[in-house]
Amino acid sequence: MSEEKSFGVVLRGLRQRGRLTMEELAESSGVSVRAIGDMERGRSRVPQRRTVVALAEGLRLADAEREALLVAARAARPTRAAAVAGTVAGTVVPPRSVGDFTGRDRELARLTEAAARAGTGVGVSVSVVSGPPGCGKTTLALKAAAELAGDFPDGCFVVDLHGVEGPVDPDEALLKLLGALGVSDRQLGQEDAQGRAGLLRALLGERRCLVVLDNARDEGQVRPLLPAAGRSLVLITSRRPLSGLEDVDRLALSEMTQAEAVELLRHILGEARADAEAEAVARVAELCGRLPLALRVAGNWLTVRSGWSVDHLVRRLADEERRLGALVAGDVRVEAAFELSYRQLTGQAAQMLRLLSLVPGPDMTTAYGAALTATGAFEAEDVMEELVEAGLLQATFAGRYQLHDLLRLFARARLSREAEPDEREAAEDRLRAWLLETAVVAGRWYKPGYGAPPSSWQGLVPLESAEQARAWLQSEAPAWLAALRSAARRGEHTRVVETADAMDWYYPLSLYWGHWPEVFRLASEAAAALDDPYLQAVHLNHYSWTLTCCEHRYREAIERADEALECARRAQDASQQAWALMYAVFPHRQFGEIQQGFDKARAAADLFEAAGDSDGWIETMGLYGGTLRDSGRAEEALTQHERIVAFLDAPDCPVSGHAADSYRAAATEALGRDYAALERWREAAEHYRNAVDQAHRIGIPHREADVLLYWGESLIELGETEEARSRLRQALAFGDAAYSSHLKTAQELLDSLPAE
């Protein structure tokens, strides 16, 4: 009977005599079920003393039985596998537990899975935990090591490589690890660096060890310390992703979730104090950017100043200019953690980091870096990747980067300190000009008379199709809106008007973005500053329509339309007068002011027809028909909407492309509603089916959601319950892309249907 089996037999016998399952022993001892199973089956060769003691306590053994278990463990441990009995010059130490560790469940699970895979002897045996300064890489690795210690009977070791400042030489780390593994000084003296690296690989390959290489500087520092194969696991923490290492698992760490951040503060402050100021604690978590280091500093600051309220710290942190300076507790400063990485950057990368603090959106692409530094996209990408490697910029997903809020403040402070004012102003001008120029080119894809950008246009992003243009406008909306606001503040009135003008056919595709009233308010104010009544009328009209569609502020919409009418009369422009009248029709209908709606619709139609404005005529006839339907004249409404379809179907129709598709979808929906008003449900349902297809094809989600609701209503009237249920669920799936009142109606209808 082998020595290993002898220990397993002893352990199994004691467990069975105590009538404990492996799961029950694991719960009482803190040793994992898998580790207990490995020991009992003889798969785990060297149980450590602290593991055996934990098992003895879990089994509640008497002194004699406890000693018997320890003797069996010592007998199973080969004499050549010397475990670490204490610390060695602060360089190789056993993992310490982290008392107030919070959250990171997903990440811990990843590392536990890595340990399990390593235990099979097949697959990857190295995991790299990377992330920005202060995100808790070391804490996570130590927590994982403490939890997994029972699975690594040949020893758990932690080596601080001091990678950011004063990095440890790889050969020095080799000597410490080999010494901790029981290799004699004599044998170490007989080997050169290459031989010692080979010896470490051999030992880690034949034993089951866990090694944490903390705070690695680069790939070269850790390569000699890695196993080639075997059942050991090496966890590496680094601010850099160490992308040069091959065949490793990678775990990119970032800030905590809001819930985890709040829970960490509750642990530090004590639940009673934290819960008494729960709202302020949540705000502290946000202001700390949910960065573990900042959270610990803030929490420690409050525990020392126990007489101060959490809200007092909120007020200190709310000042962006002073936030980093306030995150200091004793000799721990959040800013110092960033400074160490910043010092190692090349000049180009340091400048890029400073300038990226000017980006107004939550994330960015390489085009932002190129615009800020007046370089090409590929050159900017190289420099931004250096920042990623340094752990100061996060690659969030393909092609996008993110700068943590506190790192943004750090970079902005360095920009103020190290850059000349004109350098910053020039970079801001380049970024604003690029964002708004690109927004104009993208928006004009949908504007009649423009379409694709001219061949002479050389942009930093591809806008070769309407789909690419739309995707850019949506993804970069926070940034180009911020640029538009900045241009308005700086009095760049022509640029503001030009940007808004490019959007007049794009914005109906994304009515629920929420900022269109602001865009056209800024444009109308810029047009007024330019003293151009025609442009003022144009943008007041759009402002009126977005107030109606986006925010349902109908009375204000009428007021803005009336202002637009006066400006259009001053400009002597019949089309804009007609648009002003037309944009007031629907708001009047909402207030039950049917006659005012009729009068303005008729006047608008006459003006559009006289001006030869086909787009305006179609829009007005659609609204006029809706007014007729609302007043109980559905047959007349049907006639008006059929006129629109006939006009669009005519071979010589002057309206084409996206505009014609949009008008046809609206008219088809209107016909469905006309038939529904006449209770001709089958014809209504058929028109709704066609309208849904048209809205989906041209990408108007709010219209598609609305028509699905109307379609569902018609199907209910027809008794086709199951198909109605399907259409209503499709409508609800649009969420924020649909009118909230329509979503509520769809849910009520769905709830009213018989159970499936």
Side-chain angles (χ1 to χ4, degrees), residues 470-487:
R470 184 172 183 174
W472 188 91
L473 287 167
Q474 290 175 339
S475 63
E476 312 310 323
W480 69 254
L481 176 62
L484 187 71
R485 290 169 177 156
S486 176

Side-chain angles (χ1 to χ4, degrees), residues 57-267:
E57 291 175 353
L59 291 164
R60 298 182 180 177
L61 299 180
D63 290 346
E65 295 167 328
R66 182 189 188 99
E67 184 59 30
L69 189 64
L70 288 168
V71 168
R74 283 195 294 270
R77 185 179 299 119
T79 57
R80 61 183 175 81
V84 178
T87 64
V88 182
T91 303
V92 179
V93 298
R96 66 179 188 275
S97 61
V98 184
D100 61 359
F101 186 90
T102 303
R104 304 297 197 192
D105 293 337
R106 182 184 65 83
E107 292 83 356
L108 279 171
R110 282 274 305 274
L111 296 179
T112 301
E113 291 169 8
R117 287 195 302 272
T120 66
V122 178
V124 175
S125 57
V126 179
S127 290
V128 177
V129 180
S130 62
C135 70
K137 301 178 292 295
T138 297
T139 305
L140 174 65
L142 293 180
K143 176 66 173 178
E147 289 193 352
L148 297 170
D151 296 345
F152 293 90
D154 291 313
C156 297
F157 313 99
V158 179
V159 183
D160 187 349
L161 297 175
H162 296 283
V164 181
E165 193 170 39
V168 172
D169 184 86
D171 195 43
E172 180 184 347
L174 266 174
L175 290 170
K176 297 296 184 183
L177 270 174
L178 288 169
L181 286 165
V183 179
S184 67
D185 291 342
R186 179 180 178 183
Q187 185 175 1
L188 289 173
Q190 293 174 348
E191 301 283 356
D192 59 13
Q194 186 173 354
R196 287 190 285 270
L199 181 58
L200 178 64
R201 282 195 295 273
L203 289 173
L204 292 180
E206 69 184 33
R207 301 181 188 180
R208 177 91 164 118
C209 299
L210 173 60
V211 179
V212 177
L213 302 177
D214 187 36
N215 197 9
R217 179 185 179 90
D218 54 31
E219 295 88 343
Q221 192 183 27
V222 297
R223 274 201 182 95
L225 310 177
L226 303 182
R231 299 170 62 220
S232 292
L233 175 66
V234 176
L235 300 181
I236 306 172
T237 73
S238 178
R239 297 185 179 190
R240 301 172 179 270
L242 305 184
S243 52
L245 295 180
E246 298 177 354
D247 197 27
V248 300
D249 275 336
R250 300 189 185 280
L251 177 57
L253 208 59
S254 59
E255 66 269 19
M256 304 178 103
T257 66
Q258 178 68 6
E260 290 173 336
V262 168
E263 192 60 25
L264 177 56
L265 288 172
R266 291 179 77 240
H267 284 169

Side-chain angles (χ1 to χ4, degrees), residues 198-387:
L199 181 58
L200 178 64
R201 282 195 295 273
L203 289 173
L204 292 180
E206 69 184 33
R207 301 181 188 180
R208 177 91 164 118
C209 299
L210 173 60
V211 179
V212 177
L213 302 177
D214 187 36
N215 197 9
R217 179 185 179 90
D218 54 31
E219 295 88 343
Q221 192 183 27
V222 297
R223 274 201 182 95
L225 310 177
L226 303 182
R231 299 170 62 220
S232 292
L233 175 66
V234 176
L235 300 181
I236 306 172
T237 73
S238 178
R239 297 185 179 190
R240 301 172 179 270
L242 305 184
S243 52
L245 295 180
E246 298 177 354
D247 197 27
V248 300
D249 275 336
R250 300 189 185 280
L251 177 57
L253 208 59
S254 59
E255 66 269 19
M256 304 178 103
T257 66
Q258 178 68 6
E260 290 173 336
V262 168
E263 192 60 25
L264 177 56
L265 288 172
R266 291 179 77 240
H267 284 169
I268 297 172
L269 297 177
E271 294 181 3
R273 184 182 180 192
D275 293 346
E277 294 187 76
E279 190 173 325
V281 168
R283 183 63 179 141
V284 168
E286 293 170 357
L287 291 170
C288 288
R290 307 190 303 278
L291 196 69
L293 175 62
L295 292 165
R296 289 188 179 279
V297 168
N300 292 343
W301 192 90
L302 285 168
T303 56
V304 171
R305 298 160 180 82
S306 56
W308 290 19
S309 68
V310 180
D311 191 59
H312 181 82
L313 179 59
V314 169
R315 291 193 296 272
R316 287 175 63 92
L317 296 178
D319 184 347
E320 286 193 349
E321 299 297 323
R322 299 183 179 182
R323 187 177 305 166
L324 282 175
L327 288 171
V328 176
D331 62 349
V332 180
R333 295 189 308 118
V334 172
E335 189 172 12
F338 300 158
E339 181 69 38
L340 288 173
S341 290
Y342 180 72
R343 287 184 206 157
Q344 298 177 16
L345 296 175
T346 63
Q348 269 188 311
Q351 181 198 37
M352 179 69 81
L353 180 67
R354 295 192 297 267
L355 293 179
L356 288 178
S357 69
L358 299 175
V359 174
D363 56 13
M364 65 203 77
T365 63
T366 54
Y368 286 80
L372 284 163
T373 56
T375 58
F378 292 118
E379 183 178 350
E381 182 178 35
D382 289 342
V383 180
M384 291 170 77
E385 284 297 322
E386 181 183 339
L387 293 175

Side-chain angles (χ1 to χ4, degrees), residues 222 232 240 336 372 407 452 489 491 557 568 590 653 672 692 744:
V222 297
S232 292
R240 301 172 179 270
L372 284 163
L407 273 167
R489 287 193 303 269
Q590 296 303 110
C653 178
V692 165
K744 181 180 178 182

